[in-house]
């Protein structure tokens, strides 16, 4: 699904070298490692947001959800359907899905609210739903539990488990119970970065 | 003397003197037209400069920021030299068209510069997010315009304020001709030099009222954005 070979990323003042790895389809892969080992850098490279050397072979559409959710100045609903609108997809066909995801993550009552006025946790939930609503093949989640309370983490775990057969997840998280609950495979980083 | 002149000014305003209202109308019309033109081109230019990577980007931005503070009289001089030099055949000197051109050129860098500043602040994260959601260049530009809309409106209001309140450029290229190219600011300057303070104060009151309305709108847009 995603294969990395000889990947080197120079980001700001650090050079990261990543071991070769193959992320498999319909698996939940966890990228682990201590602070500063390049987890976010790797996710950004996989989604081509930053330049890199080496090979990244991606099979399918990929989307990256950052650890600080960036929402647009419009309603929660309009944020969620943004990827559908830009693909000219019929929103009616996604109504059921939107209802389901927003209900599972307990934000169904916020659909008409301006997304910029939501709490950090609610913003994260909107951002995650927006990342999965258009059925990408691979979803990269960077610290998705950062702003979430315990109940919300359970809700998110349920949703990801439900979607596991349809999507491939690659997740960076320091929340050990969340990771243990979801992990199919683990790609551990560490030691291969040099400060210039 | 101030109180006496102010009383006279209020009387003048309520006498509905046709000359005064023609001047007010002309000022608003030229400034609005110049701001609209500068806003249209300025928004496109500002966004293109901020999202594109090109060799002379930093230099271009420096030029834009320098022109944001150009004294109106200097801009007037540049336009005057152009319309009496290479474009002499177009007979633009001392016309409303010349005033419109000078004001448009004066407002353009203000709009472009403000849009570059606001767009660069927010664009990176927004564009990155849009990219990961599958947006193409057209989607990204339209998204960015929508996201920085409050800043665009603020830039337009600042530009209009600048156009309406400047005197140097319109005086040089318009000539302050009675019933033709005379606007509020040149009218104030003329009456002031003749010691007709009540006339100047009357126009000053109108300008202040317009400034008040504009800045109330400005505060509202700011509030909408930061709430």
């Amino acid at each position: 699904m995603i294969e990395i070979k000889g990947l080197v990323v120079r980001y700001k003042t650090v050079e990261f070298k990543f071991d070769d790895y193959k992320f498999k389809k319909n698996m939940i892969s966890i990228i682990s490692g201590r602070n500063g080992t390049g987890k976010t850098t790797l996710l950004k490279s996989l989604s081509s947001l930053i330049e890199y050397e080496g090979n990244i072979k991606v099979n399918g559409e990929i989307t990256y959800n950052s650890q600080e959710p960036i929402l647009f100045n419009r309603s929660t609903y309009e944020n969620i359907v943004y990827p559908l609108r830009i693909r000219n997809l019929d929103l009616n066909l996604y109504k059921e899905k939107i209802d389901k995801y927003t209900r599972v993550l307990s934000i169904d009552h916020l659909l008409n609210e301006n997304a910029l006025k939501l709490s950090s946790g609610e913003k994260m939930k909107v951002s995650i739903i927006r990342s999965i609503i258009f059925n990408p093949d691979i979803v990269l989640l960077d610290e998705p539990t950062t702003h979430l309370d315990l109940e919300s983490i359970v809700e998110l775990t349920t949703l990801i488990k439900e979607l596991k057969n349809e999507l491939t997840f690659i997740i960076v998280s320091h929340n050990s119970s969340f990771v243990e609950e979801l992990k199919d495979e683990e790609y551990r980083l560490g030691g291969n970065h040099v400060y210039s | 003397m101030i109180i006496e002149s102010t009383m006279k000014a209020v009387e003048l305003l309520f006498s509905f003197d046709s000359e005064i209202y023609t001047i007010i109308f002309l000022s608003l019309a030229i400034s609005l037209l110049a701001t609209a033109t500068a806003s249209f081109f300025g928004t496109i230019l500002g966004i293109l400069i901020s999202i594109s990577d090109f060799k002379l980007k930093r230099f271009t931005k420096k030029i834009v920021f320098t022109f944001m503070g150009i004294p109106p009289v200097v801009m007037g001089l540049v336009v005057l030299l152009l319309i009496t030099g290479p474009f002499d055949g177009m007979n633009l000197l001392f016309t409303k068209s010349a005033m419109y051109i000078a004001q448009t050129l004066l407002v353009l860098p203000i709009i472009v510069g403000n849009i570059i500043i606001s767009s660069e602040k927010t664009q990176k994260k927004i564009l990155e997010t849009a990219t990961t959601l599958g947006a193409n260049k057209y989607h990204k530009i339209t998204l960015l315009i929508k996201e920085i809309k409050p800043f665009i409106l603020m830039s337009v209001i600042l530009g209009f304020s600048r156009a309406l309140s400047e005197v140097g450029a319109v005086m040089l290229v318009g000539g302050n001709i009675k019933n033709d190219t005379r606007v509020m600011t040149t009218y104030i300057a003329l009456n002031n030099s003749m010691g007709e303070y009540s006339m100047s104060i009357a126009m000053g009151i109108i300008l202040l009222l317009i400034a008040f309305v504009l800045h109330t709108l400005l505060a509202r847009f700011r509030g909408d954005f930061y709430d």
Side-chain angles (χ1 to χ4, degrees):
Chain A
M1 190 98 238
I2 297 190
E3 198 177 348
I4 55 175
K5 251 186 191 172
L7 182 63
V8 178
V9 185
R10 286 178 195 89
Y11 190 58
K12 294 179 182 169
T13 55
V14 196
E15 183 185 276
F16 297 100
K17 283 181 185 161
F18 297 100
D19 295 336
D20 296 351
Y21 195 78
K22 206 171 179 176
F23 295 96
K24 295 187 193 87
K25 196 177 174 181
N26 298 118
M27 288 274 194
I28 299 174
S29 304
I30 303 294
I31 299 176
S32 61
R34 300 198 61 185
N35 294 332
T37 49
K39 299 183 293 297
T40 296
T41 303
L42 176 60
L43 290 189
K44 285 191 169 183
S45 317
L46 297 179
S47 49
S48 297
L49 288 176
I50 52 175
E51 288 181 8
Y52 57 85
E53 284 170 26
N55 283 312
I56 298 178
K57 205 169 137 191
V58 179
N59 247 333
E61 196 169 13
I62 192 165
T63 187
Y64 165 70
N65 191 71
S66 67
Q67 50 187 309
E68 284 307 322
I70 308 296
L71 299 183
F72 309 139
N73 186 13
R74 53 188 74 183
S75 70
T76 299
Y77 176 78
E78 282 303 323
N79 266 278
I80 290 172
V81 299
Y82 178 78
L84 306 176
R85 284 205 191 278
I86 60 174
R87 287 171 175 78
N88 290 322
L89 296 170
D90 184 355
L91 301 189
N92 290 322
L93 300 176
Y94 289 82
K95 194 183 172 307
E96 210 175 301
K97 240 178 167 183
I98 295 168
D99 287 347
K100 185 183 163 190
Y101 295 168
T102 52
R103 215 174 36 247
V104 173
L105 294 188
S106 307
I107 53 163
D108 49 334
H109 60 294
L110 300 171
L111 286 175
N112 294 322
E113 298 294 327
N114 185 311
L116 298 187
K117 294 183 176 170
L118 304 182
S119 73
S120 306
E122 289 163 344
K123 280 182 183 168
M124 180 55 95
K125 292 176 186 180
V126 176
S127 174
I128 291 171
I129 294 175
R130 188 179 59 184
S131 294
I132 56 178
I133 195 72
F134 63 102
N135 282 334
D137 300 290
I138 306 148
V139 181
L140 311 179
L141 297 179
D142 196 353
E143 296 287 2
T145 61
T146 308
H147 301 287
L148 303 187
D149 54 36
L150 280 176
E151 259 179 78
S152 301
I153 293 172
V154 173
E155 290 165 358
L156 180 63
T157 310
T158 311
L159 183 66
I160 292 175
K161 273 183 175 172
E162 267 189 43
L163 292 170
K164 194 183 143 182
N165 295 329
E166 298 167 43
L167 312 173
T168 300
F169 286 95
I170 300 175
I171 302 173
V172 166
S173 176
H174 283 116
N175 185 317
S176 51
S177 56
F178 175 73
V179 164
E180 285 312 313
E181 190 70 35
L182 290 172
K183 180 172 79 178
D184 289 323
E185 289 198 326
E186 186 172 353
Y187 176 44
R188 190 155 182 83
L189 305 183
N192 291 331
H193 57 290
V194 183
Y195 290 88
S196 59
Chain B
M1 180 165 162
I2 295 174
I3 294 170
E4 197 186 317
S5 298
T6 310
M7 296 289 281
K8 261 191 178 177
V10 174
E11 252 175 57
L12 205 65
L13 282 176
F14 286 101
S15 70
F16 297 103
D17 181 276
S18 70
E19 191 197 344
I20 291 203
Y21 283 92
T22 307
I23 289 170
I24 294 170
F25 176 76
L26 183 67
S27 297
L28 288 172
I30 290 184
S31 299
L32 274 173
L33 205 59
T35 309
T37 311
S39 301
F40 177 75
F41 292 107
T43 304
I44 295 171
L45 267 174
I47 287 184
L48 281 180
I49 291 173
S50 64
I51 67 167
S52 311
D53 276 323
F54 54 94
K55 217 175 176 184
L56 295 172
K57 184 170 177 169
R58 283 181 77 172
F59 179 71
T60 308
K61 277 162 58 179
K62 271 183 194 165
I63 295 288
V64 171
F65 295 147
T66 305
F67 273 83
M68 279 174 85
I70 190 172
V73 70
V74 176
M75 183 54 84
L77 187 65
V78 172
V79 175
L80 181 78
L81 292 173
L82 286 171
I83 61 179
T84 54
F87 301 103
D88 193 26
M90 295 175 82
N91 292 322
L92 289 169
L93 188 60
F94 301 146
T95 62
K96 296 179 189 80
S97 303
M99 293 157 73
Y100 159 74
I101 293 168
Q103 287 203 343
T104 303
L105 293 176
L106 200 62
V107 173
L108 187 67
I110 293 174
I111 309 259
V112 177
N114 275 304
I115 285 176
I116 290 175
I117 294 166
S118 54
S119 161
E120 286 192 339
K121 247 189 210 169
T122 48
Q123 59 136 335
K124 193 172 177 256
K125 286 177 178 174
I126 288 171
L127 295 183
E128 212 174 80
T129 305
T131 304
T132 66
L133 295 172
N136 61 26
K137 198 156 190 172
Y138 167 75
H139 296 136
K140 286 189 234 177
I141 290 175
T142 49
L143 175 68
L144 190 60
I145 291 175
K146 282 182 186 165
E147 288 301 302
I148 63 166
K149 201 167 71 185
F151 289 115
I152 294 176
L153 291 171
M154 275 161 57
S155 310
V156 171
I157 290 172
L158 286 173
F160 182 64
S161 286
R162 167 86 152 171
L164 196 66
S165 60
E166 73 87 18
V167 57
V170 282
M171 183 75 97
L172 273 184
V173 300
N176 194 23
I177 301 166
K178 191 177 179 183
N179 294 326
D180 187 17
T181 58
R182 184 163 294 168
V183 288
M184 287 193 274
T185 49
T186 55
Y187 182 81
I188 290 176
L190 177 75
N191 282 294
N192 205 38
S193 63
M194 295 192 306
E196 290 278 359
Y197 296 115
S198 52
M199 302 283 205
S200 299
I201 291 173
M203 282 300 172
I205 290 172
I206 297 287
L207 277 172
L208 276 174
L209 279 175
I210 294 170
F212 178 77
V213 172
L214 288 177
H215 287 276
T216 306
L217 284 173
L218 196 65
R220 207 192 135 194
F221 290 134
R222 271 198 197 123
D224 279 354
F225 195 74
Y226 291 114
D227 264 359

